Amino acid sequence: MADKREEILLVAERLFGDNGFDGTSVRDIAQHANVNLAMISYYFGSKEKLLEALLEQRANYTILEALNKDESLTPWEKIDRVIDFYVDKIMSNLCLHNIMQQGNNSRSDEIKELVTKIKLRNFEQIKKILLDGQKKKFFRKVDIELTVGTVMGTISQTTIARHFYNSIFNIEKNNDEAYRKKITPRLKSHLKQLLRAHLDIKNEE
Amino acid sequence: MADKREEILLVAERLFGDNGFDGTSVRDIAQHANVNLAMISYYFGSKEKLLEALLEQRANYTILEALNKDESLTPWEKIDRVIDFYVDKIMSNLCLHNIMQQGNNSRSDEIKELVTKIKLRNFEQIKKILLDGQKKKFFRKVDIELTVGTVMGTISQTTIARHFYNSIFNIEKNNDEAYRKKITPRLKSHLKQLLRAHLDIKNEE
DNA sequence: GCCAAAATTAAACAAACGTTTGAATTAAAC
DNA sequence: GTTTAATTCAAACGTTTGTTTAATTTTGGC
């Protein structure tokens, strides 16, 4: 059955996201997926290959390439859409996002490079929007690389430091749905307000 | 000798930061610290207690409480100083910062709460500056919690996604010094420019 | 219904893990 | 110099780790 393979991926995503790669044993995964231990090696070859397969399969979920194709949108509209898209995707894939964050610290260079490659694709898209907005004199001169880092970093912060925000916002921990509901709209409007001021050519010094 | 204890902490900081808590064995630590394996249990009780000791010992390094005491500074000056202080501290403690990021995902609630507590202290300081600036009509109305998140997140991003920025900025990996030199001034001026626009009361809608 | 391929299983593997033990060594106190 | 406590050590402890094996069951084509 092919749905066992799928089940393994699904469970691995949750456990890797919650406990980290090293903090999750293949026995944990097998048990939660109701699958024999050996099936993981059988389908994926190894634990690390399982992580690679997971990242490769899910990578496309968080890619926003289509957006830049739409010529009718102004740079400001594109920025708003990027924020909506990006926040939604990450908020509905908290575990996967956690895995990608951890992937940066992986001891495996293959994983590190895979994660970097995925991030790079999104980075290039946002960068293109910023450059275009500058050319059209909507946006002022800013540090483009770090501006993208601010967007990614602000969003990441709400997942990395989730325990921290739970504490601030009085959200019971492990309640994914409550967290999403509370954070998503705030995050979107904060980022839009932030970038509107930061990028506006009227604020050029 | 008490310097063995210190050596263990020093090595643990580097290894936990590089490979994660689960990715570092007590044997790794003992070997790199030139210390017998049993000394770690002897001094700290357990591997987890070692991490707790590490966080507690280093926590004060990244606390910026003194700043708010200075009444002669305007809110704008305080913002600039916070940025300088925070960026410098994190950039010169990359490993420790990595550990704290990972700590958010620790399976130990004690660790999670310890990290949250440390972050909360800094959070409160920055929050105080923002509130004060709003009261004095320097700053406009913004989402304070997420504005702090933006500052922390932007800085964190440069350490979490370091492999990513290495790739963008063409820095050879594992060269901490080159990374610091390249990123620090850019990060400071980007954050100052960002917050100047974001907080300025002239941008009030 | 037979057969080869694919899927599934329990069991075993060696290696690595965190921790403990009890003896040996060093340091400090008197 | 003797005694007591603190330190250091090699060795072993029992688990848990990721992976493999070889036997068994299920599946799909003919």
Side-chain angles (χ1 to χ4, degrees):
Chain A
M1 295 201 230
D3 45 329
K4 290 213 173 183
R5 212 189 105 104
E6 212 55 39
E7 186 66 18
I8 293 172
L9 281 168
L10 226 53
V11 169
E13 178 177 359
R14 203 184 76 234
L15 295 183
F16 284 160
D18 286 345
N19 308 324
F21 180 76
D22 290 313
T24 306
S25 72
V26 290
R27 280 172 179 80
D28 283 340
I29 299 172
Q31 197 183 332
H32 284 87
N34 276 317
V35 154
N36 187 279
L37 174 63
M39 300 307 292
I40 292 171
S41 291
Y42 178 74
Y43 277 125
F44 300 96
S46 72
K47 185 186 174 188
E48 192 171 302
K49 288 271 178 60
L50 165 61
L51 175 56
E52 280 180 44
L54 181 58
L55 287 174
E56 259 156 20
Q57 198 217 40
R58 297 282 199 278
N60 293 326
Y61 269 105
T62 47
I63 293 292
L64 39 79
E65 251 141 33
L67 206 97
N68 256 326
K69 305 247 166 74
D70 194 335
E71 297 283 350
S72 69
L73 297 173
T74 68
W76 283 118
E77 287 168 331
K78 281 188 181 178
I79 289 288
D80 281 359
R81 299 229 181 163
V82 163
I83 291 171
D84 285 337
F85 178 90
Y86 216 55
V87 170
D88 282 335
K89 279 298 172 200
I90 288 179
M91 278 296 155
S92 53
N93 294 282
L94 289 175
C95 287
L96 183 71
H97 189 249
N98 249 332
I99 294 170
M100 296 206 9
Q101 297 290 356
Q102 296 164 16
N104 289 298
N105 279 64
S106 170
R107 266 149 300 121
S108 151
D109 282 342
E110 276 111 9
I111 300 291
K112 265 197 268 194
E113 251 138 57
L114 188 52
V115 170
T116 298
K117 212 181 70 186
I118 295 171
K119 287 191 174 168
L120 219 47
R121 285 181 63 185
N122 281 325
F123 174 78
E124 291 300 337
Q125 296 304 311
I126 303 181
K127 182 174 177 177
K128 206 179 284 178
I129 296 174
L130 294 178
L131 284 174
D132 183 55
Q134 287 178 334
K135 212 178 66 189
K136 293 177 179 163
K137 302 284 180 198
F138 287 96
F139 300 162
R140 64 169 169 161
K141 220 179 91 193
V142 295
D143 189 320
I144 289 185
E145 282 78 14
L146 289 184
T147 297
V148 178
T150 292
V151 176
M152 292 175 161
T154 301
I155 302 176
S156 292
Q157 196 68 4
T158 63
T159 72
I160 297 168
R162 165 146 170 210
H163 191 263
F164 173 73
Y165 281 106
N166 275 339
S167 157
I168 290 184
F169 294 143
N170 288 316
I171 301 171
E172 46 183 318
K173 64 176 175 175
N174 297 330
N175 189 340
D176 274 31
E177 203 43 43
Y179 191 68
R180 242 190 295 276
K181 271 241 170 102
K182 181 95 174 181
I183 295 285
T184 303
R186 269 183 86 150
L187 198 49
K188 285 181 181 176
S189 72
H190 166 69
L191 277 175
K192 287 173 186 173
Q193 185 192 23
L194 179 76
L195 287 191
R196 221 167 284 139
H198 176 55
L199 294 175
D200 197 336
I201 191 130
K202 289 202 296 275
N203 286 331
E204 189 90 74
E205 284 134 12
Chain B
M1 291 201 235
D3 45 328
K4 291 212 174 184
R5 213 190 105 103
E6 213 54 41
E7 186 66 18
I8 292 172
L9 281 169
L10 227 52
V11 169
E13 178 177 359
R14 203 184 75 235
L15 294 183
F16 285 160
D18 287 344
N19 308 324
F21 179 76
D22 290 314
T24 306
S25 71
V26 290
R27 282 172 178 81
D28 282 341
I29 299 172
Q31 196 182 333
H32 284 88
N34 275 317
V35 154
N36 187 278
L37 175 62
M39 300 307 292
I40 292 170
S41 291
Y42 177 75
Y43 277 124
F44 299 96
S46 71
K47 185 186 174 188
E48 192 171 301
K49 288 272 178 61
L50 165 60
L51 174 56
E52 280 180 44
L54 182 57
L55 287 174
E56 259 155 21
Q57 198 217 39
R58 298 281 200 277
N60 292 326
Y61 269 105
T62 47
I63 294 292
L64 39 79
E65 250 142 34
L67 206 96
N68 257 325
K69 305 247 167 75
D70 195 335
E71 297 282 348
S72 69
L73 297 174
T74 68
W76 285 119
E77 286 168 331
K78 281 189 179 176
I79 289 289
D80 281 359
R81 297 228 182 164
V82 162
I83 291 171
D84 286 337
F85 177 91
Y86 217 56
V87 171
D88 282 336
K89 278 298 173 200
I90 288 179
M91 278 295 155
S92 53
N93 293 282
L94 288 176
C95 288
L96 182 71
H97 189 250
N98 250 331
I99 293 170
M100 294 206 9
Q101 297 290 355
Q102 297 163 16
N104 288 298
N105 279 65
S106 171
R107 265 150 301 122
S108 150
D109 283 342
E110 277 111 9
I111 300 292
K112 266 197 269 194
E113 251 138 59
L114 189 52
V115 169
T116 298
K117 211 182 72 187
I118 294 171
K119 286 189 174 168
L120 218 48
R121 285 179 64 185
N122 281 326
F123 174 79
E124 291 299 335
Q125 296 304 310
I126 302 182
K127 182 174 177 177
K128 206 180 286 180
I129 296 174
L130 294 178
L131 285 174
D132 183 55
Q134 287 179 334
K135 211 178 66 187
K136 292 178 179 161
K137 303 285 179 197
F138 287 96
F139 300 162
R140 66 169 168 160
K141 222 179 90 192
V142 294
D143 189 321
I144 290 185
E145 282 79 15
L146 289 184
T147 297
V148 178
T150 292
V151 176
M152 291 174 161
T154 301
I155 301 176
S156 292
Q157 195 68 3
T158 63
T159 72
I160 297 168
R162 167 149 170 207
H163 191 263
F164 172 73
Y165 281 106
N166 275 339
S167 158
I168 290 182
F169 293 143
N170 288 317
I171 302 170
E172 48 184 316
K173 64 175 177 176
N174 297 330
N175 190 339
D176 274 30
E177 203 43 43
Y179 192 68
R180 240 190 295 275
K181 271 240 171 102
K182 181 95 175 183
I183 295 286
T184 304
R186 270 183 86 150
L187 198 48
K188 286 180 181 176
S189 70
H190 166 70
L191 277 174
K192 287 173 186 172
Q193 185 192 23
L194 178 76
L195 287 191
R196 221 166 283 137
H198 177 55
L199 293 175
D200 198 337
I201 192 132
K202 289 202 296 271
N203 286 332
E204 189 91 72
E205 288 135 11

